[in-house]
Amino acid sequence: MSAPNPSDSGSARRLVRPAVAALAGYVPGEQPSDPRVVKLNTNENPYPPSPRVAEAIAAAAGNLHLYPDPDSSALRRAAARLYGVDPDGVVVGNGSDELLAMLLRAAVDPGEVVAYPIPTYSLYDTQVALQGGRSMHFPYPADWSLPEAIFGCGARVFFICNPNAPSGTLVPLDAIERLARENPGSIVVADEAYVDFCDGTAVGLVGRVPNLVVLRSFSKSYSLAGLRVGLAMTTPALAAELLKVKDSYNLDRLAQAGALAALEDQAAMRANVDRVRATRARLSAELGRLGFRVVPSETNFVLAYGPGESQEGVARSLKERGVLVRWFRALPDALRISVGTDAQVDRLLDELRSLVAR
Amino acid sequence: MSAPNPSDSGSARRLVRPAVAALAGYVPGEQPSDPRVVKLNTNENPYPPSPRVAEAIAAAAGNLHLYPDPDSSALRRAAARLYGVDPDGVVVGNGSDELLAMLLRAAVDPGEVVAYPIPTYSLYDTQVALQGGRSMHFPYPADWSLPEAIFGCGARVFFICNPNAPSGTLVPLDAIERLARENPGSIVVADEAYVDFCDGTAVGLVGRVPNLVVLRSFSKSYSLAGLRVGLAMTTPALAAELLKVKDSYNLDRLAQAGALAALEDQAAMRANVDRVRATRARLSAELGRLGFRVVPSETNFVLAYGPGESQEGVARSLKERGVLVRWFRALPDALRISVGTDAQVDRLLDELRSLVAR
């Protein structure tokens, strides 16, 4: 495909908002199409979802000529039952990424502040810039607790990725509750994409703490990264405001049906989570033996600080050998490694051993 | 489900932007779950899509644990081949609704003007309000040509639904081209959701007219309203700007696979379009015999001005009899009726005859 002609680019930039013309855009992790690549770079679940998902999708494929339910009612009711929240407080999104964007669109006027501890999910920066908001960053202390300075910073919205990516660490529930209670005019978002891999969900606070929103994703524990479904849980009143900025048919028939089937088979999800946790323990121990310092992980990935200074070269060498892991410019001496199958993890460890031995 | 408590609503409104708190939100057409209802209210195709769609979806359902291709590359290449445009100028969306939202997010700063002839797709108003833009409305003249006043209005973005909903009428290609040429610093969007039901696409101008964006939907001619896929076609340079405001994984694996299969079976789409057009001719003639004045339709629906003054009661009576059509407060003396199967249209006509005879 051809690169845009520079003079065309200049004209096109004059057709859009200056803020957009200046934007670089979010770069997602690499998604190679070669199935031989060992893909440990985007925190996917290496195991397939419940077999009921494919059955539900096949059944729903019979009615594709009709619009989906704009309210995703069946899915919202099932989520409400499972998590013990009011169904009118549940909003579903095309991935939790869409829910993050909806929260910003609903709550942030130009120049208003969105605060979060860093390092964290880098999409927050992109989305805040897009909405014209101002990101306020609070570096995590060495023990990965919530930075004290964030509590009084007066942000309009707080994003707490909990457990956090890329550290894999969890802040305690009482810190989330305190943040919400001390900032009653702001929205506190607990982005719990990885919470099924640990204990520590804030979902029990939903409804009791009126300015709290808990986000969940089907991409990790439910093995449905390819289906794009996320959930927001909050009060019915705040959900009603979020619904105003939702695309009316944001979730297609197949995604609604597949996510519902996945929710209704908790045993399948739990079995996959248990397998991932067992492999995570083994991966962490082996990385330790190779000289990495591994942050204790509550998620389906580990953050491993290497024995050498920069890990950029290690990530590149692994890629040349067909193993993808994530390296971040902001954390140059670490690798973020998703927990794959045992065979994938063995392959990674073999390659790492041969690299370290050189 | 419970209605939000009024005091909770007040608190929730203080958590969001004043512009959002004041917003009413878009109301999509009714989507009943009862399959006995004759659903002629949301312009769905009454026929199923190509059988290849379900096959492609079943195959794609085997890899749902992996993220989708964020670039929807295969689908974009297929669309580019079919329509004769540069693949780098194609952007895919979660329905063309998402593409409309992306265009506004990319191009419209607070208070900037978005212009369109009315009556038209009512979602435009909602989306412009959400983006903080200002809608400028230009009433269509009696012959449904592009209103002369729109050409010099100085809008940042123009939306031309062509053919238009709810009128079913088409403005000529040279009017679209003139609008784009006379407003070189603005984006002109030809929203061609219904264009497969007629001749008159602006896709031949894509690339040659740098500020033109052509939108297509899979919801109507391709019988995939339930899958949520739309296409934007423009220059690679303007597409690059739009991609900056796209959710990185906006289209799930199943939607990408299903839409690709549908594009690759033009014969199936054409056969359904031909059936709809034949039924449209019969529906229009019969409505004329019942005393309706039917606007000649280029789409898969007809706008029919009733023999009486307001058609609100007729729409309500039809609904009581299990037949849904669309009535708009802005067009009180008309009904918008989607072209269903012959059996559905016969049922509608029978009910209308008995209502008119009373």
Side-chain angles (χ1 to χ4, degrees):
Chain A
M1 303 192 187
S2 52
N5 174 313
S7 80
D8 293 349
S9 298
S11 311
R13 277 199 288 270
R14 282 189 290 276
L15 293 170
V16 300
R17 296 163 51 209
V20 170
L23 211 67
Y26 175 72
V27 180
E30 207 175 340
Q31 302 295 350
S33 50
D34 183 347
R36 289 168 307 177
V37 169
V38 174
K39 215 177 152 300
L40 304 177
N41 65 329
T42 56
N43 300 344
E44 288 141 332
N45 196 312
Y47 302 110
S50 162
R52 295 191 207 167
V53 170
E55 290 163 25
I57 286 168
N63 274 315
L64 286 178
H65 63 296
L66 300 176
Y67 279 101
D69 172 8
D71 300 321
S72 299
S73 310
L75 178 55
R76 287 165 58 223
R77 278 196 303 268
R81 263 194 312 273
L82 179 65
Y83 296 114
V85 299
D86 188 323
D88 286 333
V90 180
V91 180
V92 301
N94 184 30
S96 55
D97 289 356
E98 187 192 33
L99 295 166
L100 288 165
M102 282 166 56
L103 279 158
L104 294 173
R105 250 171 253 150
V108 176
D109 266 320
E112 289 187 330
V113 170
V114 181
Y116 34 95
I118 58 162
T120 192
Y121 187 28
S122 61
L123 184 68
Y124 298 160
D125 281 345
T126 308
Q127 289 199 343
V128 172
L130 218 58
Q131 181 62 21
R134 193 156 62 83
S135 289
M136 203 179 268
H137 291 168
F138 294 87
Y140 272 109
D143 65 356
W144 298 98
S145 61
L146 212 50
E148 193 54 36
I150 203 171
F151 288 89
C153 75
R156 194 82 179 100
V157 174
F158 295 86
F159 285 152
I160 312 294
C161 186
N162 203 39
N164 185 48
S167 61
T169 53
L170 187 76
V171 302
L173 209 52
D174 57 7
I176 303 280
E177 181 165 5
R178 181 188 148 205
L179 185 64
R181 301 276 187 205
E182 291 184 8
N183 293 276
S186 311
I187 295 176
V188 171
V189 180
D191 180 352
E192 297 190 344
Y194 299 99
V195 84
D196 285 325
F197 296 98
C198 65
D199 299 307
T201 177
V203 83
L205 299 175
V206 166
R208 291 201 296 117
V209 179
N211 56 329
L212 175 70
V213 179
V214 170
L215 293 188
R216 292 294 184 94
S217 168
F218 284 76
S219 298
K220 313 299 179 183
S221 55
Y222 288 102
S223 303
L224 290 174
L227 198 60
R228 318 303 308 126
V229 186
L231 295 175
M233 294 181 275
T234 185
T235 65
L238 184 51
E241 299 302 314
L242 292 177
L243 288 175
K244 292 178 181 176
V245 305
K246 182 177 85 65
D247 269 1
S248 50
Y249 299 106
N250 66 329
L251 220 60
D252 68 49
R253 281 181 172 265
L254 308 180
Q256 291 187 34
L260 176 60
L263 265 194
E264 289 178 339
D265 191 353
Q266 288 293 303
M269 182 273 272
R270 282 287 149 212
N272 284 343
V273 163
D274 289 347
R275 286 201 278 182
V276 167
R277 288 170 57 130
T279 307
R280 178 178 80 194
R282 196 167 67 80
L283 170 63
S284 301
E286 293 292 333
L287 286 169
R289 268 176 217 117
L290 283 167
F292 284 86
R293 183 173 62 77
V294 180
V295 181
S297 170
E298 306 279 358
T299 62
N300 69 335
F301 58 84
V302 299
L303 186 68
Y305 288 88
E309 286 213 342
S310 170
Q311 295 297 306
E312 186 175 15
V314 178
R316 198 185 314 114
S317 300
L318 285 171
K319 184 177 170 179
E320 285 161 10
R321 294 156 183 235
V323 179
L324 295 183
V325 300
R326 199 85 189 260
W327 175 82
F328 297 96
R329 196 165 298 282
L331 286 170
D333 49 347
L335 297 174
R336 194 197 66 185
I337 306 171
S338 308
V339 179
T341 61
D342 280 305
Q344 289 176 319
V345 161
D346 286 340
R347 172 75 191 289
L348 164 83
L349 290 168
D350 285 347
E351 299 293 357
L352 271 180
R353 271 181 212 110
S354 76
L355 285 169
V356 169
R358 281 195 303 188
Chain B
M1 303 189 187
S2 53
N5 175 313
S7 80
D8 293 349
S9 299
S11 311
R13 277 199 289 269
R14 281 189 291 275
L15 293 170
V16 301
R17 296 163 50 210
V20 170
L23 212 66
Y26 175 71
V27 181
E30 206 175 343
Q31 302 295 350
S33 50
D34 183 348
R36 291 168 304 178
V37 169
V38 173
K39 214 178 152 301
L40 305 176
N41 65 328
T42 55
N43 300 343
E44 288 140 331
N45 196 312
Y47 302 110
S50 161
R52 294 191 208 168
V53 170
E55 289 163 26
I57 286 168
N63 274 316
L64 286 178
H65 63 297
L66 299 175
Y67 279 101
D69 173 8
D71 300 323
S72 298
S73 311
L75 178 56
R76 287 166 57 221
R77 279 196 302 269
R81 266 195 310 275
L82 179 66
Y83 296 113
V85 299
D86 187 324
D88 285 332
V90 181
V91 180
V92 302
N94 183 29
S96 55
D97 289 355
E98 187 192 33
L99 294 165
L100 290 165
M102 281 166 55
L103 281 158
L104 294 174
R105 250 171 253 150
V108 177
D109 266 318
E112 290 187 331
V113 170
V114 181
Y116 34 95
I118 58 162
T120 191
Y121 186 27
S122 61
L123 184 69
Y124 298 160
D125 282 343
T126 307
Q127 289 199 343
V128 172
L130 217 58
Q131 180 63 21
R134 193 155 62 84
S135 289
M136 203 179 269
H137 290 168
F138 294 87
Y140 272 109
D143 66 356
W144 297 98
S145 62
L146 212 50
E148 193 55 36
I150 202 171
F151 288 89
C153 76
R156 195 85 180 96
V157 174
F158 295 86
F159 285 153
I160 311 294
C161 186
N162 202 39
N164 186 49
S167 62
T169 54
L170 187 76
V171 303
L173 209 53
D174 57 7
I176 301 282
E177 180 164 6
R178 182 188 148 205
L179 185 64
R181 301 276 187 206
E182 291 185 8
N183 293 276
S186 312
I187 295 176
V188 171
V189 180
D191 180 352
E192 297 190 346
Y194 300 99
V195 86
D196 286 325
F197 296 98
C198 66
D199 299 307
T201 178
V203 83
L205 300 174
V206 167
R208 291 201 296 116
V209 179
N211 55 330
L212 176 70
V213 179
V214 170
L215 293 188
R216 292 296 184 92
S217 169
F218 284 75
S219 298
K220 313 299 180 184
S221 55
Y222 288 102
S223 303
L224 290 174
L227 199 60
R228 317 304 307 127
V229 186
L231 295 174
M233 293 181 277
T234 184
T235 64
L238 185 50
E241 298 301 315
L242 291 178
L243 288 176
K244 293 178 181 176
V245 305
K246 183 177 85 64
D247 269 1
S248 51
Y249 299 106
N250 66 330
L251 220 59
D252 68 49
R253 281 183 172 264
L254 309 179
Q256 291 187 35
L260 176 61
L263 265 194
E264 288 179 340
D265 191 353
Q266 289 293 302
M269 182 273 273
R270 282 286 149 214
N272 284 344
V273 163
D274 288 346
R275 287 201 277 181
V276 167
R277 288 170 57 129
T279 307
R280 177 178 79 193
R282 197 167 66 80
L283 170 64
S284 301
E286 292 292 332
L287 286 170
R289 268 177 218 118
L290 282 168
F292 285 86
R293 183 172 64 76
V294 181
V295 181
S297 170
E298 306 279 359
T299 62
N300 69 335
F301 59 85
V302 299
L303 186 68
Y305 289 87
E309 287 214 338
S310 170
Q311 295 297 306
E312 186 177 15
V314 177
R316 198 184 314 115
S317 299
L318 285 171
K319 184 177 171 181
E320 287 162 8
R321 293 156 184 236
V323 178
L324 294 184
V325 300
R326 198 87 188 258
W327 175 82
F328 297 96
R329 197 165 298 282
L331 285 170
D333 49 346
L335 297 174
R336 194 196 66 185
I337 305 171
S338 309
V339 178
T341 61
D342 281 305
Q344 289 176 319
V345 161
D346 285 341
R347 171 76 192 287
L348 164 83
L349 290 168
D350 285 347
E351 299 294 358
L352 270 180
R353 271 181 212 109
S354 76
L355 285 170
V356 169
R358 279 197 302 188

